[in-house]
């Protein structure tokens, strides 16, 4: 588990005085987050490996390697951050201290769909239940692969190979980088909502 700083504030080095929401509050995690979460019993899947992603490219600091190319893409993308990209990143950041979690974010989407689609109580209950189950199983599968692959976080790789002073837009959480939890949970939640409500 993580220890959260009780004196959460925005990072003055990254914030914009005219826009207090230009960055996320900092947090103080201690130790790896939930290293055994991937061993939990799943709800709908047989186990956390049923929808396992392909293995990540082998770690390499060799210029031109697949792993190096991923690091370079991340470095270049964040180094040329447009206001639009920054807004999108902050919208999807889902920092547990500031904005909830990816699962919470998707449950807020379910809330919106219930209102927008004027769902009945039965339809709303089904949307909540199936989306929650998909998110829970996705978390288990994601965390199983994270602690099996143990892929270094982008900020660590970029500091080693590209720029020792580079920082990400918001703090790096204390768990392995691959696969992306946001992508895994978003894929699972979106698939359920598309099946239930159509692709809009």
């Amino acid at each position: 588990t993580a220890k959260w700083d009780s004196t959460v504030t925005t990072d003055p080095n990254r914030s914009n005085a005219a826009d207090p929401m230009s960055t996320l509050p900092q947090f103080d995690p201690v130790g790896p987050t939930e290293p055994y979460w991937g061993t939990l019993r799943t709800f709908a899947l047989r186990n956390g490996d049923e929808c396992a992603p392909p293995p990540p490219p082998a770690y390499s600091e060799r210029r031109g390697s697949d792993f190096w190319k991923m690091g370079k893409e991340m470095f270049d993308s964040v180094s040329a951050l447009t206001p639009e990209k920054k807004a999108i990143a902050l919208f999807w950041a889902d920092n547990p201290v500031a904005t909830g979690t990816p699962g919470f974010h998707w449950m807020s989407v379910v809330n919106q769909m219930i209102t927008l689609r004027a769902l009945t109580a039965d339809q709303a209950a089904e949307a909540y239940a199936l989306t929650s189950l998909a998110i829970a199983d996705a978390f288990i599968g994601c965390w199983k692969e994270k602690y099996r692959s143990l892929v270094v976080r982008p900020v660590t790789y970029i500091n080693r190979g590209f720029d020792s002073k580079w920082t990400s837009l918001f703090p790096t959480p204390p768990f392995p980088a691959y696969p992306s939890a946001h992508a895994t949970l978003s894929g699972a939640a979106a698939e359920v909502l598309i099946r239930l409500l159509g692709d809009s």
Side-chain angles (χ1 to χ4, degrees):
T1 58
K3 172 186 154 206
W4 304 108
D5 185 346
S6 60
T7 59
V8 173
T9 59
T10 57
D11 182 348
N13 296 322
R14 298 184 198 169
S15 64
N16 175 342
D19 177 11
M21 292 304 293
S22 63
T23 188
L24 295 175
Q26 303 299 292
F27 58 96
D28 181 23
V30 177
T33 300
E34 302 296 353
Y36 300 106
W37 200 264
T39 66
L40 295 178
R41 187 177 69 189
T42 51
F43 293 90
L45 299 178
R46 285 189 296 273
N47 58 56
D49 282 327
E50 187 171 346
C51 296
Y59 180 86
S60 173
E61 295 179 16
R62 181 179 53 80
R63 186 180 183 87
S65 68
D66 288 343
F67 207 95
W68 182 90
K69 287 176 186 174
M70 287 191 313
K72 182 78 163 85
E73 182 180 3
M74 175 73 169
F75 176 67
D76 290 345
S77 177
V78 176
S79 297
L81 201 60
T82 65
E84 180 184 18
K85 284 183 180 179
K86 185 175 181 180
I88 291 168
L90 292 172
F91 177 81
W92 286 105
D94 298 325
N95 179 321
V97 174
T99 59
T101 64
F104 175 83
H105 195 133
W106 278 99
M107 295 315 294
S108 73
V109 172
V110 174
N111 290 342
Q112 294 170 45
M113 290 296 100
I114 290 168
T115 301
L116 290 171
R117 300 294 182 86
L119 300 184
T120 66
D122 287 348
Q123 290 170 323
E126 182 180 40
Y128 281 129
L130 294 179
T131 305
S132 296
L133 290 173
I135 289 170
D137 278 2
F139 249 128
I140 293 168
C142 180
W143 249 248
K144 187 167 189 178
E145 184 59 37
K146 277 183 179 292
Y147 283 96
R148 177 171 39 223
S149 298
L150 293 173
V151 175
V152 66
R153 298 300 304 198
V155 67
T156 302
Y157 186 80
I158 289 169
N159 287 163
R160 285 180 187 164
F162 298 98
D163 180 352
S164 63
K165 296 187 184 333
W166 185 89
T167 59
S168 53
L169 178 61
F170 39 83
T172 293
F175 46 79
Y178 181 85
S180 164
H182 279 69
T184 304
L185 301 186
S186 293
E191 187 65 27
V192 167
L193 293 174
I194 287 169
R195 297 284 181 109
L196 289 176
L197 306 173
D199 188 354
S200 60

